[in-house]
mmCIF file of all heavy atoms in Angstrom:
data_model
loop_
_atom_site.group_PDB
_atom_site.id
_atom_site.type_symbol
_atom_site.label_atom_id
_atom_site.label_comp_id
_atom_site.label_asym_id
_atom_site.label_seq_id
_atom_site.Cartn_x
_atom_site.Cartn_y
_atom_site.Cartn_z
ATOM 1 N N GLU A 64 27.217 32.193 182.313
ATOM 2 C CA GLU A 64 27.167 33.169 181.320
ATOM 3 C C GLU A 64 28.460 33.145 180.446
ATOM 4 O O GLU A 64 28.453 33.336 179.245
ATOM 5 C CB GLU A 64 27.033 34.538 181.916
ATOM 6 C CG GLU A 64 25.577 34.793 182.415
ATOM 7 C CD GLU A 64 25.444 36.213 182.972
ATOM 8 O OE1 GLU A 64 26.474 36.874 183.257
ATOM 9 O OE2 GLU A 64 24.311 36.704 183.082
ATOM 10 N N GLU A 71 28.908 30.770 172.262
ATOM 11 C CA GLU A 71 28.306 31.615 171.214
ATOM 12 C C GLU A 71 29.423 32.270 170.333
ATOM 13 O O GLU A 71 29.382 32.328 169.161
ATOM 14 C CB GLU A 71 27.441 32.762 171.847
ATOM 15 C CG GLU A 71 26.834 33.716 170.875
ATOM 16 C CD GLU A 71 26.027 34.777 171.570
ATOM 17 O OE1 GLU A 71 25.871 34.701 172.803
ATOM 18 O OE2 GLU A 71 25.572 35.723 170.821
ATOM 19 N N ARG A 90 35.112 34.472 145.244
ATOM 20 C CA ARG A 90 35.916 35.494 144.608
ATOM 21 C C ARG A 90 37.004 34.961 143.702
ATOM 22 O O ARG A 90 37.212 35.479 142.648
ATOM 23 C CB ARG A 90 36.579 36.369 145.759
ATOM 24 C CG ARG A 90 37.415 37.521 145.249
ATOM 25 C CD ARG A 90 36.555 38.460 144.525
ATOM 26 N NE ARG A 90 37.289 39.625 144.073
ATOM 27 C CZ ARG A 90 36.869 40.492 143.195
ATOM 28 N NH1 ARG A 90 35.723 40.348 142.626
ATOM 29 N NH2 ARG A 90 37.659 41.549 142.809
ATOM 30 N N GLN A 127 54.987 49.010 96.312
ATOM 31 C CA GLN A 127 56.362 49.019 95.759
ATOM 32 C C GLN A 127 56.274 48.580 94.275
ATOM 33 O O GLN A 127 57.030 49.126 93.413
ATOM 34 C CB GLN A 127 57.187 48.026 96.549
ATOM 35 C CG GLN A 127 58.685 48.051 96.075
ATOM 36 C CD GLN A 127 59.350 49.411 96.361
ATOM 37 O OE1 GLN A 127 58.994 50.108 97.289
ATOM 38 N NE2 GLN A 127 60.289 49.766 95.479
ATOM 39 N N THR A 265 39.125 45.200 103.446
ATOM 40 C CA THR A 265 39.269 46.289 102.556
ATOM 41 C C THR A 265 40.621 46.304 101.818
ATOM 42 O O THR A 265 40.696 46.529 100.595
ATOM 43 C CB THR A 265 39.027 47.641 103.257
ATOM 44 O OG1 THR A 265 37.727 47.653 103.905
ATOM 45 C CG2 THR A 265 39.096 48.813 102.337
#
Side-chain angles (χ1 to χ4, degrees):
E64 287 183 340
E71 181 182 353
R90 181 63 178 164
Q127 186 64 33
T265 302

